Amino acid sequence: SIKMDLLHSSGVLIIQHLQRDYRAYQDFLNFMSHVGDPRNIFSIYFPLWFQLNQVVGTKMIWVAVIGDWFNLIFKWILFGHRPYWWVQETMIYPNQSSPCLEQFPITCETGPGSPSGHAMGSSCVWYVMVTAALSYTVRWKDKLAVTLHRLTWSFLWSIFWIIQISVCISRVFIATHFPHQVILGVFAGILVAEAFEHTPAIQTASLRMYIKTNLFLFIFALGFYLSLKLLDIDLLWSVPKAKKWCANPDWINIDTTPFAGLVRNLGALFGLGLGINSEMFITSCKGKNSCKLSFRILCIAASLATLQLYNFVKIPTHTEYLFYLLSFCKSAAMPLTVVALVPYCVHSLMKTTEKKLN
């Protein structure tokens, strides 16, 4: 439509301005784009928070998974273009050459562009972290404590918005999103996170409930995709556009395709359910050692170190279905490691040490 073309062309002007005037901040903006990567939720934020507060850690995974699932459905409904291919195909510049937008190794996302998954994932998980941190100070009653709570509230929410704005600018700077797409992503993420503030049932969910949720999310997404395909609507229309207009074919990554994100999130949710309902979790995280600060610090350090090793596990991409299967298994292993395997090993080590000292 004409209105959308005008919105996109305005966005292109903003991208050109950022790429021209903020070149000195390129490294910082690329870093902030990595900060907003939803995969950091599973490898960094979750291991930290789960060992400090299991309620917050559990909520974080649910918010991340459901938020990214909604992001996928919205992207399929909205058919949002990405700047780096839109400028090459639009007819809004008939009498002049298309604007030149610089591309970067992280530009060539293959899924639709609206709403931004990075902005949505970043806002929802940081919303959970900020509200969790403030929940500790809101109980303070004396006058000095109330003042301190207000200062803390102002500080944390300022940090929240600085991070979200930085992530949004970074995604626009690398020409992978239009400004309206990142703004939509931020507020959609906040809505999802706020919804889970009033969903306590996830804390007592059984393994059967995790499996049922996984099946529902997968069947709905697959059914939606197949139903529209029967109507001759290809929801993977963005993949060939990305391959055609990406400046470097090596920058195209199967890990950015819509189904790759879906499989990754379903694996993470299944791994969390498997871990929380395991005997190892009950023995270690519900035992007497779970209250010790040393136990939690060791679990955090061991979890973060172990999860970094997963980055060295490269999944073969030559067969798409094999990639999805192995991606599901790898994603499931990460929360399972944080929730059950690492705490159980730390618990066993501390128990053995205590016996030797006695």
Side-chain angles (χ1 to χ4, degrees):
S1 67
I2 296 176
K3 289 184 178 180
M4 189 57 69
D5 282 342
L6 291 174
L7 185 62
H8 285 159
S9 62
S10 300
V12 168
L13 292 176
I14 294 173
I15 295 170
Q16 288 181 306
H17 167 70
L18 290 174
Q19 292 188 344
R20 182 182 65 249
D21 297 340
Y22 288 80
R23 174 67 56 192
Y25 304 102
Q26 177 181 331
D27 291 339
F28 171 74
L29 292 173
N30 285 336
F31 170 74
M32 289 308 301
S33 190
H34 285 296
V35 168
D37 193 330
R39 284 169 288 196
N40 289 332
I41 298 170
F42 308 118
S43 61
I44 298 176
Y45 305 137
F46 171 66
L48 282 170
W49 274 97
F50 187 83
Q51 307 302 349
L52 294 174
N53 188 316
Q54 293 167 12
V55 171
V56 177
T58 301
K59 185 193 300 181
M60 188 176 291
I61 292 290
W62 277 89
V63 166
V65 170
I66 301 300
D68 210 50
W69 182 84
F70 273 116
N71 182 263
L72 172 65
I73 301 300
F74 288 152
K75 281 182 174 179
W76 279 348
I77 292 173
L78 297 177
F79 283 82
H81 290 274
R82 293 186 185 271
Y84 75 91
W85 77 56
W86 181 83
V87 293
Q88 304 292 340
E89 298 188 343
T90 182
M91 302 301 293
I92 202 172
Y93 308 105
N95 299 320
Q96 55 184 317
S97 60
S98 299
C100 181
L101 299 181
E102 184 176 353
Q103 296 183 25
F104 303 86
I106 55 175
T107 296
C108 300
E109 298 272 352
T110 58
S114 186
S116 167
H118 279 63
M120 191 168 175
S122 176
S123 66
C124 73
V125 73
W126 279 93
Y127 188 92
V128 169
M129 290 192 288
V130 169
T131 53
L134 289 175
S135 67
Y136 289 103
T137 63
V138 74
R139 304 165 190 161
W140 299 343
K141 300 298 183 182
D142 58 89
K143 190 174 182 180
L144 179 62
V146 169
T147 303
L148 184 59
H149 168 71
R150 289 174 180 172
L151 291 173
T152 305
W153 187 94
S154 300
F155 173 75
L156 290 179
W157 283 116
S158 296
I159 293 296
F160 172 86
W161 284 111
I162 288 172
I163 291 174
Q164 304 320 311
I165 292 171
S166 298
V167 170
C168 289
I169 292 175
S170 73
R171 300 302 287 172
V172 174
F173 174 84
I174 63 173
T176 199
H177 283 296
F178 291 103
H180 70 278
Q181 295 173 343
V182 293
I183 293 171
L184 179 60
V186 168
F187 287 103
I190 292 173
L191 287 175
V192 172
E194 179 60 29
F196 275 89
E197 290 293 316
H198 311 285
T199 314
I202 60 174
Q203 302 298 335
T204 56
S206 63
L207 180 58
R208 178 176 292 183
M209 179 57 66
Y210 276 91
I211 294 174
K212 284 182 178 179
T213 303
N214 256 16
L215 288 174
F216 170 78
L217 296 178
F218 177 73
I219 292 172
F220 185 97
L222 183 62
F224 187 71
Y225 169 78
L226 294 175
S227 297
L228 291 185
K229 194 169 185 178
L230 289 175
L231 298 175
D232 204 27
I233 300 175
D234 183 15
L235 293 180
L236 300 181
W237 60 273
S238 60
V239 177
K241 288 183 181 291
K243 292 180 178 179
K244 181 179 180 181
W245 297 114
C246 185
N248 187 337
D250 293 335
W251 295 347
I252 297 290
N253 191 342
I254 190 175
D255 202 31
T256 66
T257 59
F259 278 111
L262 175 65
V263 169
R264 184 172 58 246
N265 286 300
L266 295 183
L269 188 62
F270 176 72
L272 176 66
L274 198 61
I276 283 182
N277 291 280
S278 68
E279 285 297 324
M280 287 188 291
F281 170 77
I282 295 171
T283 301
S284 56
C285 294
K286 297 296 184 181
K288 61 178 183 179
N289 283 330
S290 62
C291 298
K292 296 179 180 178
L293 181 61
S294 58
F295 173 79
R296 295 187 179 187
I297 292 175
L298 284 172
C299 285
I300 290 173
S303 295
L304 289 173
T306 305
L307 292 187
Q308 299 316 306
L309 297 177
Y310 282 95
N311 293 330
F312 295 100
V313 179
K314 301 301 180 183
I315 300 175
T317 59
H318 58 274
T319 304
E320 191 171 358
Y321 293 111
L322 178 62
F323 172 84
Y324 291 146
L325 176 62
L326 295 179
S327 180
F328 178 89
C329 295
K330 179 181 176 181
S331 299
M334 294 176 74
L336 181 61
T337 298
V338 174
V339 171
L341 296 178
V342 166
Y344 185 77
C345 291
V346 172
H347 168 78
S348 300
L349 180 63
M350 292 181 68
K351 190 174 180 181
T352 303
T353 304
E354 289 174 0
K355 285 183 179 179
K356 288 182 179 180
L357 292 175
N358 294 332

